[in-house]
Amino acid sequence: MRISEFAKELGKSNKEVLDILAGQGVTGKTHSSNISEAEAAAVKRSLAPAKPAAAAEKAAPAKPAAAAEKVAPARPAAAAEKAAPA
């Protein structure tokens, strides 16, 4: 497949695909050059969105904050004075 056809299939410009290939060490290609299946797969992998760490966190069940931390309710000052021995 020609790079120009492959770029069109991806919705990218010829230059974008050639830049990706150059970044992977593939040089001497033009828009009319053929691209191997391995090179095409490498370009597709580089264009695939990276999986953010947040997606991995969503997969793990989260513990509710209230269950993780129990705090005794504050006593009103008047009740505290009555409870304290004099």
Side-chain angles (χ1 to χ4, degrees):
M1 171 182 284
R2 293 190 184 271
I3 290 176
S4 59
E5 294 169 359
F6 181 63
K8 187 175 182 179
E9 180 181 298
L10 296 175
K12 300 292 180 183
S13 70
N14 295 333
K15 183 174 180 349
E16 288 175 300
V17 173
L18 289 168
D19 288 345
I20 292 168
L21 288 169
Q24 296 174 353
V26 179
T27 58
K29 297 273 188 180
T30 67
H31 71 281
S32 60
S33 298
N34 285 327
I35 188 171
S36 70
E37 288 184 28
E39 291 167 337
V43 170
K44 285 182 180 180
R45 279 193 306 272
S46 70
L47 292 174
K51 294 182 180 179
E57 290 175 10
K58 286 183 179 179
K63 294 182 181 178
E69 189 178 317
K70 293 184 179 181
V71 179
R75 295 183 355 199
E81 289 176 11
K82 289 181 184 178

